[in-house]
Amino acid sequence: MKIGTQIREAIRNKLSSEQKNTIVLNLLNDLEISDPKKRLTQYPHELSGGMRQRILIAMALARDPDILIADEPATSLDVRIKYHIIELLKRIGKNSKKTIIYITHDLASVKGFADQILIMYAGKIVESGPAKKIFGNAKHPYSQRLIDLMSRSVNGKGKLAYIEGQPPLPDDFPEGCRFHPRCGFAIPSCKTESPEIQGSDIHWWACPVIN
Protein backbone atom coordinates (compact mmCIF):
# COMPACT_ATOMS: atom_id res chain seq x y z
CA MET A 1 0.00 0.00 0.00
CA LYS A 2 1.35 3.43 -0.91
CA ILE A 3 2.40 5.91 1.77
CA GLY A 4 -0.34 8.42 0.94
CA THR A 5 -3.06 5.77 1.16
CA GLN A 6 -1.83 4.53 4.53
CA ILE A 7 -1.78 7.98 6.11
CA ARG A 8 -5.16 8.98 4.61
CA GLU A 9 -6.75 5.87 6.12
CA ALA A 10 -5.72 7.08 9.58
CA ILE A 11 -7.66 10.36 9.24
CA ARG A 12 -10.93 10.06 11.17
CA ASN A 13 -12.88 12.95 9.67
CA LYS A 14 -15.17 12.38 6.69
CA LEU A 15 -13.32 14.70 4.36
CA SER A 16 -12.87 14.79 0.62
CA SER A 17 -9.78 13.21 -0.92
CA GLU A 18 -8.42 16.68 -1.67
CA GLN A 19 -8.84 17.79 1.93
CA LYS A 20 -7.18 14.62 3.20
CA ASN A 21 -4.28 15.10 0.79
CA THR A 22 -3.79 18.62 2.14
CA ILE A 23 -3.68 17.31 5.71
CA VAL A 24 -1.21 14.58 4.74
CA LEU A 25 1.08 16.99 2.91
CA ASN A 26 1.04 19.37 5.87
CA LEU A 27 1.96 16.51 8.19
CA LEU A 28 4.86 15.44 6.00
CA ASN A 29 6.10 19.02 5.80
CA ASP A 30 5.86 19.39 9.58
CA LEU A 31 7.88 16.19 9.97
CA GLU A 32 10.55 17.58 7.65
CA ILE A 33 10.07 14.86 5.04
CA SER A 34 11.67 15.91 1.78
CA ASP A 35 9.63 16.03 -1.44
CA PRO A 36 6.34 15.12 0.30
CA LYS A 37 4.28 14.89 -2.91
CA LYS A 38 6.62 12.23 -4.23
CA ARG A 39 6.48 10.30 -0.93
CA LEU A 40 2.69 9.95 -1.23
CA THR A 41 3.12 7.74 -4.29
CA GLN A 42 5.94 5.61 -2.88
CA TYR A 43 5.87 2.30 -1.01
CA PRO A 44 7.50 1.77 2.43
CA HIS A 45 10.30 -0.40 1.03
CA GLU A 46 11.43 2.53 -1.11
CA LEU A 47 12.22 4.67 1.93
CA SER A 48 15.07 4.66 4.45
CA GLY A 49 14.57 3.44 8.02
CA GLY A 50 14.51 6.98 9.39
CA MET A 51 12.01 8.08 6.75
CA ARG A 52 9.72 5.12 7.49
CA GLN A 53 9.81 6.03 11.17
CA ARG A 54 8.67 9.56 10.33
CA ILE A 55 5.86 8.14 8.21
CA LEU A 56 4.69 6.06 11.18
CA ILE A 57 4.66 9.21 13.32
CA ALA A 58 2.63 10.97 10.59
CA MET A 59 0.09 8.11 10.63
CA ALA A 60 -0.27 8.45 14.40
CA LEU A 61 -0.64 12.24 14.23
CA ALA A 62 -3.20 11.99 11.42
CA ARG A 63 -5.74 10.86 14.00
CA ASP A 64 -5.03 14.03 16.01
CA PRO A 65 -4.63 12.21 19.35
CA ASP A 66 -4.36 13.95 22.71
CA ILE A 67 -1.82 11.33 23.78
CA LEU A 68 0.89 9.92 21.51
CA ILE A 69 2.52 6.66 22.63
CA ALA A 70 6.00 6.22 21.17
CA ASP A 71 7.29 2.71 21.94
CA GLU A 72 11.02 2.51 21.15
CA PRO A 73 10.61 4.93 18.20
CA ALA A 74 14.35 5.18 17.52
CA THR A 75 15.32 1.51 17.90
CA SER A 76 17.66 0.13 15.21
CA LEU A 77 18.32 3.60 13.77
CA ASP A 78 21.82 5.03 13.60
CA VAL A 79 22.80 7.67 16.16
CA ARG A 80 22.28 10.67 13.88
CA ILE A 81 18.79 9.59 12.75
CA LYS A 82 17.90 8.58 16.30
CA TYR A 83 18.74 12.08 17.52
CA HIS A 84 16.56 13.65 14.81
CA ILE A 85 13.58 11.44 15.68
CA ILE A 86 13.85 12.34 19.37
CA GLU A 87 14.18 16.05 18.58
CA LEU A 88 11.18 15.76 16.28
CA LEU A 89 9.04 14.20 19.02
CA LYS A 90 10.20 16.88 21.44
CA ARG A 91 9.11 19.60 19.02
CA ILE A 92 5.74 17.90 18.42
CA GLY A 93 5.06 17.78 22.15
CA LYS A 94 6.02 21.41 22.64
CA ASN A 95 4.19 22.88 19.64
CA SER A 96 1.02 20.78 19.72
CA LYS A 97 0.59 20.52 23.50
CA LYS A 98 0.14 16.76 23.11
CA THR A 99 1.17 14.38 25.85
CA ILE A 100 3.86 11.99 24.64
CA ILE A 101 4.46 8.70 26.45
CA TYR A 102 7.95 7.67 25.39
CA ILE A 103 8.82 4.03 26.13
CA THR A 104 12.46 3.05 25.88
CA HIS A 105 15.28 0.90 27.27
CA ASP A 106 17.70 3.76 26.57
CA LEU A 107 17.46 6.13 29.53
CA ALA A 108 20.01 8.50 28.02
CA SER A 109 17.71 9.17 25.06
CA VAL A 110 15.09 10.87 27.25
CA LYS A 111 17.47 13.23 29.03
CA GLY A 112 16.46 16.75 28.08
CA PHE A 113 13.24 15.41 26.55
CA ALA A 114 11.03 14.03 29.32
CA ASP A 115 9.32 16.08 32.01
CA GLN A 116 8.35 13.07 34.12
CA ILE A 117 10.08 9.68 34.25
CA LEU A 118 8.87 6.30 35.49
CA ILE A 119 11.53 3.62 35.92
CA MET A 120 10.27 0.05 35.57
CA TYR A 121 11.93 -3.23 36.45
CA ALA A 122 10.38 -6.64 35.72
CA GLY A 123 6.95 -5.11 35.12
CA LYS A 124 6.90 -2.96 38.27
CA ILE A 125 7.38 0.79 38.60
CA VAL A 126 10.28 1.20 41.02
CA GLU A 127 10.69 4.98 40.87
CA SER A 128 8.72 7.96 39.61
CA GLY A 129 9.53 11.64 39.57
CA PRO A 130 10.43 14.75 37.58
CA ALA A 131 13.25 14.15 35.12
CA LYS A 132 15.56 16.54 36.98
CA LYS A 133 15.02 14.58 40.20
CA ILE A 134 15.62 11.22 38.54
CA PHE A 135 18.80 12.26 36.75
CA GLY A 136 20.08 14.41 39.60
CA ASN A 137 19.08 12.39 42.65
CA ALA A 138 17.83 8.91 41.74
CA LYS A 139 16.89 6.87 44.80
CA HIS A 140 16.07 3.31 43.77
CA PRO A 141 19.18 1.10 43.38
CA TYR A 142 18.10 0.07 39.87
CA SER A 143 17.64 3.71 38.81
CA GLN A 144 21.03 4.57 40.28
CA ARG A 145 22.72 1.78 38.34
CA LEU A 146 21.06 2.81 35.08
CA ILE A 147 22.23 6.40 35.47
CA ASP A 148 25.69 5.25 36.53
CA LEU A 149 25.95 3.19 33.34
CA MET A 150 25.04 6.26 31.27
CA SER A 151 28.26 7.95 32.37
CA ARG A 152 30.54 4.96 31.84
CA SER A 153 29.75 2.56 29.03
CA VAL A 154 32.97 0.70 29.79
CA ASN A 155 34.65 -0.12 33.08
CA GLY A 156 38.25 0.51 34.09
CA LYS A 157 39.43 -2.64 32.32
CA GLY A 158 37.92 -1.62 29.02
CA LYS A 159 35.02 -4.07 29.29
CA LEU A 160 31.38 -3.16 28.75
CA ALA A 161 29.81 -1.93 32.00
CA TYR A 162 26.63 -3.72 33.04
CA ILE A 163 24.32 -4.57 35.95
CA GLU A 164 25.33 -7.88 37.48
CA GLY A 165 22.94 -10.81 37.16
CA GLN A 166 20.03 -11.42 34.83
CA PRO A 167 16.47 -10.02 34.82
CA PRO A 168 13.86 -12.60 35.89
CA LEU A 169 11.62 -14.40 33.43
CA PRO A 170 7.95 -13.29 33.41
CA ASP A 171 6.83 -16.67 34.78
CA ASP A 172 9.49 -16.78 37.48
CA PHE A 173 9.50 -13.47 39.35
CA PRO A 174 11.21 -13.67 42.76
CA GLU A 175 9.27 -13.00 45.94
CA GLY A 176 9.58 -9.61 47.59
CA CYS A 177 11.41 -6.95 45.60
CA ARG A 178 11.98 -8.22 42.07
CA PHE A 179 15.35 -6.49 41.90
CA HIS A 180 16.77 -7.95 45.12
CA PRO A 181 18.82 -10.76 43.47
CA ARG A 182 20.84 -8.08 41.63
CA CYS A 183 20.84 -5.39 44.33
CA GLY A 184 23.87 -4.57 46.45
CA PHE A 185 21.70 -2.93 49.13
CA ALA A 186 19.24 -5.80 49.68
CA ILE A 187 18.34 -6.75 53.24
CA PRO A 188 16.54 -9.96 54.34
CA SER A 189 13.06 -8.41 54.12
CA CYS A 190 13.66 -7.52 50.46
CA LYS A 191 13.52 -11.24 49.66
CA THR A 192 10.09 -11.82 51.20
CA GLU A 193 8.15 -8.54 51.39
CA SER A 194 6.92 -6.16 48.72
CA PRO A 195 8.95 -2.94 49.01
CA GLU A 196 7.39 0.01 50.80
CA ILE A 197 6.92 3.28 48.94
CA GLN A 198 9.24 6.05 50.11
CA GLY A 199 9.38 9.76 49.28
CA SER A 200 6.48 12.00 48.28
CA ASP A 201 3.72 12.24 45.68
CA ILE A 202 6.12 14.23 43.48
CA HIS A 203 9.10 11.85 43.71
CA TRP A 204 8.73 8.34 45.09
CA TRP A 205 10.58 5.04 44.96
CA ALA A 206 9.84 1.46 46.03
CA CYS A 207 12.73 0.63 48.34
CA PRO A 208 12.76 0.44 52.16
CA VAL A 209 16.56 0.67 52.32
CA ILE A 210 17.00 4.04 50.58
CA ASN A 211 15.28 6.97 52.31
Side-chain angles (χ1 to χ4, degrees), residues 7-209:
I7 301 176
R8 282 192 295 270
E9 282 193 346
I11 299 175
R12 295 181 182 181
N13 299 327
K14 295 180 179 179
L15 303 174
S16 66
S17 295
E18 184 177 347
Q19 289 173 313
K20 287 185 177 182
N21 278 337
T22 299
I23 292 174
V24 172
L25 287 172
N26 287 338
L27 277 172
L28 298 187
N29 277 316
D30 289 344
L31 294 174
E32 300 175 356
I33 294 176
S34 61
D35 202 353
K37 288 186 178 180
K38 178 182 178 181
R39 305 305 174 200
L40 296 183
T41 63
Q42 290 183 302
Y43 292 92
H45 71 269
E46 298 179 273
L47 306 179
S48 66
M51 191 75 75
R52 287 197 296 268
Q53 203 73 335
R54 290 171 188 248
I55 295 298
L56 286 173
I57 294 172
M59 291 173 65
L61 292 175
R63 300 187 69 83
D64 193 25
D66 293 323
I67 300 174
L68 180 65
I69 300 176
D71 189 353
E72 299 285 7
T75 298
S76 75
L77 300 177
D78 66 47
V79 175
R80 182 177 60 85
I81 300 299
K82 178 179 179 178
Y83 171 78
H84 283 306
I85 293 296
I86 292 171
E87 286 298 308
L88 183 62
L89 289 171
K90 186 191 300 185
R91 181 164 56 81
I92 290 170
K94 181 178 180 180
N95 294 343
S96 67
K97 306 299 182 183
K98 296 182 185 299
T99 296
I100 297 178
I101 299 176
Y102 187 96
I103 303 168
T104 182
H105 287 84
D106 182 7
L107 187 59
S109 69
V110 300
K111 191 172 186 179
F113 170 51
D115 298 313
Q116 189 82 7
I117 293 178
L118 280 72
I119 304 288
M120 296 186 71
Y121 181 79
K124 292 280 190 179
I125 298 174
V126 297
E127 185 163 1
S128 173
K132 289 183 179 180
K133 289 279 189 182
I134 299 294
F135 284 112
N137 189 27
K139 296 294 187 179
H140 194 278
Y142 179 58
S143 305
Q144 293 175 356
R145 291 293 287 125
L146 288 178
I147 291 170
D148 180 48
L149 292 177
M150 284 173 52
S151 62
R152 55 184 191 92
S153 58
V154 295
N155 61 23
K157 297 180 180 179
K159 295 182 179 180
L160 184 67
Y162 62 94
I163 299 176
E164 297 75 10
Q166 296 291 329
L169 296 174
D171 61 350
D172 191 28
F173 289 133
E175 292 186 24
C177 174
R178 294 180 178 180
F179 187 61
H180 85 258
R182 308 175 71 187
C183 181
F185 298 98
I187 57 177
S189 63
C190 296
K191 301 178 181 180
T192 57
E193 301 174 10
S194 295
E196 297 179 2
I197 300 299
Q198 308 289 333
S200 66
D201 291 341
I202 296 174
H203 179 201
W204 60 264
W205 54 95
C207 180
V209 181

